[in-house]
Structures are given as structure tokens and as C-alpha cells.
């Protein structure tokens, strides 16, 4: 398990099954860290990353834009990353999309596995190495893709034993594999598929990468609305006799209300079961933090701030 608390790390990847709340949690985390006085870069990796919407600012660009106190956002663009790399390291100024380089890039990116991944990982690791920000929070791709991204430097290291490329990937592997600097956050919901994918992902990350899994975030937890005693009361009201009396009294409409209450209870119960499955399947000592279902607006800055508060309560 990681040495440093999550909030002190420099590079945090947020991943999880599609739609579970990766972007919401990444945004909340970035906000919470910025609130703590850290300078934060939020990085969207693919077109689906929509951190900018979570902060209600215009779409992110490759060049980080400051969007709030201590908080900047950028969107990954592997071609721009290659251009920046060539300019920085080989001192080749490349303006625009120049023919041969673009062609070579297109060729490499399609033909050689790992090229896009290394340009992505390389860019975020570089921001960390240069200490441009205290923390880089990456709204990372979903479960299927994250392992190949995190293991890209390792894969290339295994292919290339010496030389320029090797010296370029060694330092990335070092940052990624250091639990004081880098942590993976896996977001899930207490539902069957996300839980089983999470357990599979934990195993794959441990087997195929050196990246420390810092914490699991269980998102969209339902509050306990009704106690077992309340439930007994609902059962009574829900009986034929109870319903008849109520309908009589209210002129109908009792049934949908009772069903809603029952649904809330059943849903919560099933989510609790999935949460238990998750708990018992995870390696001992892996922290698990909970974020409740938001019932008001679930997107935009307000939701981001609410999630930031919940994360702060668990992480600070
Ligand atoms: N705690 C929550 N309570 C209520 N709604 C939530 C919560 N977390 C996320 N949502 C909603 O769930 C939807 C998916 O969230 P989000 O976009 O963060 O997921 P994602 O994992 O990033 O999805 P994708 O895989 O498409 O990138 C959004 O509409 C979001 O507002
Ligand atoms: Mg997303």
C-alpha cells in the first residue's frame, strides 16, 4: 500500500468502469486539493473526459488554462505532446502539422502499440517531474485502457534495453512506480458490474503495472432513508387492508408512494450487498471511501464542490 497519503501525492489517476463517475470524482478531487492550497492540473485524457464541464468553463486545450484559484485544466492531445517533446528534447521547432513528422506520427501511432500511450503518460509524468504543479489529477480512460497506459513505459523498457528511448522511459517508470508520488484511484458504484470490473482491475493493475492503488471510491451510495422499524410500518400500510384505508382517505395515490419507498429500500439493500462483495474481494488494507448519491443537480460546479467536500471529509 502507498506510503504517502493520497492528498500529498503528485500524480493521481482516476479510473473506473464507464459512467461510474470518474470525471465527477476527478473534478471533486482537483477542487478539494486546490481548496487545500495546492496547485493542481486537471488533465482530460480522451474526448470523453469532460472536466471543463464539471467546472463550467470552456473546453480544455492542450496548453493548460487556469480556471480557478490554484486550478488549471488541460486536454491531452498526443500529436501536440509529440510536437512538444521534439521541441523540448531534440530542439526541433515544429510549427503546425508539418508533413513528414505528421506522417511518421500517424504511422507510428497506428502501427506501434504503446506510442499514443507513451506520449500521454510521458506528458503527465513530465508535468510532474518539472514540478509545474503540486498535483496532476488525470481523468483517465475507463477500465479497459488504463492498464496499457500505465504500463506503457515498462513495455517500452522491456523492448528497448539501452539508448535514448530507454533513458526517456526510465524516469517515467520511476515516477509511476513511486507510491509517494503516484496513486491510482478506482471509482465504482455499488452495483454488480462495476464491482466485478473493479475487482478485476485491481488484480490487473497489481499484476501488470508498478502503480500503487491508493484508494477505491464508491460513488453514488444511497442514504439509509428507512430503519427496519420504518420498513415494518410500510409493510403494514402496504397490506391490502392498509392500502384500502389509505386510498379511501386520500382518494387514491397511496400505492405509488408505497412502491417508491419499497424501491428505495430494495435498491439500498442490493447496493449494500454489492458493497460487501467489493469489501471482501479487495486486498486487505486498501482504503475505501464513500461518496453519496447527489440528489440535487448532479453536474456542474455545484456538484463538483459537493463531491469535493465529501472527499475532503474522508481524505483529510
Ligand atoms: N454521486 C453522484 N450522484 C448523482 N449523480 C452522479 C454522481 N456521480 C456521478 N453522477 C452522474 O453520473 C453521470 C456519469 O458521471 P461521470 O461523467 O462523472 O462518469 P464517468 O465515469 O466520467 O463517465 P464516462 O465513462 O462517460 O467518462 C453524470 O451524469 C453525473 O452527473
Ligand atoms: Mg468521464
Amino acid at each position: 500500500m502507498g506510503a504517502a497519503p493520497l492528498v500529498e501525492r503528485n500524480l493521481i489517476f482516476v479510473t473506473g468502469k464507464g459512467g461510474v463517475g470518474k470525471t465527477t470524482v476527478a473534478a471533486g478531487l482537483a477542487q478539494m486539493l486546490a481548496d487545500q492550497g495546492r496547485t493542481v492540473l486537471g488533465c482530460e485524457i480522451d474526448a470523453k473526459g469532460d472536466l471543463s464541464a464539471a467546472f463550467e468553463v470552456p473546453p480544455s486545450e492542450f496548453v493548460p488554462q487556469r480556471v480557478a484559484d490554484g486550478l488549471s485544466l488541460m486536454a491531452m492531445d498526443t500529436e501536440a505532446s509529440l510536437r512538444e517533446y521534439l521541441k523540448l528534447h531534440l530542439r526541433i521547432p515544429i510549427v503546425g502539422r508539418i508533413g513528414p513528422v505528421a506522417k511518421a506520427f500517424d504511422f507510428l501511432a497506428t502501427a506501434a502499440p504503446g506510442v499514443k500511450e507513451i506520449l500521454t503518460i510521458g506528458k503527465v509524468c513530465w508535468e510532474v517531474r518539472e514540478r509545474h504543479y503540486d498535483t496532476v489529477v488525470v481523468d483517465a480512460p475507463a477500465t479497459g485502457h488504463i492498464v496499457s497506459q500505465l504500463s506503457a513505459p515498462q513495455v517500452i523498457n522491456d523492448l528497448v534495453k539501452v539508448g535514448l528511448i530507454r533513458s526517456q522511459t526510465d524516469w517515467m517508470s520511476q515516477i509511476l512506480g513511486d507510491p509517494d508520488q503516484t496513486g491510482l484511484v478506482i471509482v465504482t458504484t455499488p452495483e454488480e458490474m462495476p464491482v466485478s470490473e473493479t475487482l478485476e482491475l485491481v488484480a490487473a493493475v497489481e499484476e501488470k503495472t508498478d502503480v500503487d492503488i491508493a484508494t477505491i471510491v464508491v460513488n453514488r451510495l444511497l442514504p439509509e432513508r428507512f430503519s427496519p422499524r420504518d420498513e415494518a410500518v410500510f409493510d403494514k400500510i402496504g397490506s391490502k387492508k392498509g392500502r384500502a384505508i389509505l386510498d379511501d382517505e386520500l382518494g387514491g395515490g397511496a400505492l405509488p408512494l408505497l412502491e417508491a419507498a419499497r424501491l428505495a429500500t430494495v435498491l439500498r439493500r442490493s447496493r449494500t450487498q454489492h458493497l460487501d462483495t467489493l469489501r471482501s474481494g479487495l486486498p486487505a488494507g486498501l482504503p475505501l471511501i464513500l461518496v453519496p448519491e447527489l440528489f440535487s443537480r448532479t453536474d456542474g460546479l455545484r456538484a463538483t464542490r459537493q463531491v469535493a467536500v465529501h472527499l475532503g471529509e474522508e481524505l483529510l
Side-chain angles (χ1 to χ4, degrees):
M1 293 305 117
L6 182 68
V7 294
E8 286 169 22
R9 302 198 200 188
N10 311 108
L11 178 54
I12 301 172
F13 291 92
V14 181
T15 185
K17 185 178 175 350
V20 292
K22 294 180 294 295
T23 302
T24 306
V25 169
L29 198 56
Q31 175 76 57
M32 186 270 278
L33 292 166
D35 290 343
Q36 290 299 304
R38 292 176 75 90
T39 54
V40 181
L41 173 66
C43 176
E44 299 169 4
I45 290 280
D46 52 26
K48 270 184 118 185
D50 208 0
L51 285 176
S52 53
F55 292 102
E56 298 181 19
V57 295
S60 312
E61 298 161 26
F62 183 69
V63 178
Q65 307 288 318
R66 200 180 160 86
V67 299
D69 266 357
L71 179 67
S72 302
L73 294 183
M74 67 163 284
M76 186 54 64
D77 171 346
T78 41
E79 204 181 309
S81 167
L82 175 66
R83 239 182 275 139
E84 183 180 80
Y85 173 82
L86 293 175
K87 206 165 111 190
L88 276 167
H89 296 274
L90 308 178
R91 313 209 187 291
I92 305 173
I94 295 164
V95 187
R97 213 186 131 98
I98 289 175
V101 172
K103 271 205 197 117
F105 172 73
D106 285 345
F107 170 74
L108 269 175
T110 31
V115 169
K116 280 200 160 149
E117 285 81 359
I118 203 75
L119 287 168
T120 298
I121 282 295
K123 168 68 177 170
V124 293
C125 285
W126 186 74
E127 293 293 335
V128 170
R129 189 176 77 162
E130 297 298 307
R131 292 273 184 272
H132 290 154
Y133 304 88
D134 296 326
T135 316
V136 179
V137 177
V138 183
D139 183 6
T143 328
H145 207 71
I146 183 75
V147 171
S148 54
Q149 215 152 56
L150 293 179
S151 56
Q154 202 54 51
V155 168
I156 289 183
N157 274 2
D158 291 345
L159 288 173
V160 191
K161 296 287 177 215
V162 287
L164 180 71
I165 291 183
R166 177 66 195 242
S167 70
Q168 279 306 312
T169 47
D170 266 348
W171 65 268
M172 292 181 206
S173 297
Q174 198 271 322
I175 290 176
L176 291 173
D178 177 2
D180 281 333
Q181 291 193 76
T182 302
L184 181 66
V185 171
I186 304 177
V187 184
T188 185
T189 48
E191 295 168 297
E192 188 169 354
M193 287 305 292
V195 164
S196 64
E197 267 196 34
T198 300
L199 294 175
E200 281 165 24
L201 180 61
V202 169
V205 167
E206 293 196 331
E207 188 197 338
K208 295 183 185 141
T209 81
D210 294 327
V211 179
D212 176 66
I213 303 172
T215 188
I216 308 286
V217 173
V218 184
N219 187 26
R220 311 195 71 157
L221 219 75
L222 293 173
E224 193 157 12
R225 286 265 144 105
F226 308 115
S227 68
R229 245 183 85 192
D230 296 335
E231 284 173 35
V233 173
F234 278 123
D235 280 345
K236 262 202 172 144
I237 306 175
S239 69
K240 228 175 165 180
K241 204 168 137 199
R243 266 181 7 222
I245 297 172
L246 259 184
D247 273 339
D248 228 24
E249 200 59 38
L250 301 171
L255 195 60
L257 204 70
L258 287 170
E259 276 181 351
R262 195 188 308 275
L263 181 64
T265 307
V266 169
L267 213 59
R268 187 184 145 84
R269 224 177 260 151
S270 107
R271 290 198 174 185
T272 308
Q273 267 169 19
H274 295 308
L275 184 59
D276 288 343
T277 310
L278 177 67
R279 273 209 178 96
S280 55
L282 289 174
L286 183 56
L288 198 142
I289 65 180
L290 311 175
V291 173
E293 174 83 25
L294 304 173
F295 288 99
S296 52
R297 268 193 67 180
T298 60
D299 54 1
L301 201 50
R302 193 160 155 232
T304 301
R305 292 220 172 96
Q306 269 177 290
V307 173
V309 169
H310 288 293
L311 292 173
E313 281 167 4
E314 305 249 5
L315 289 168
L316 295 174

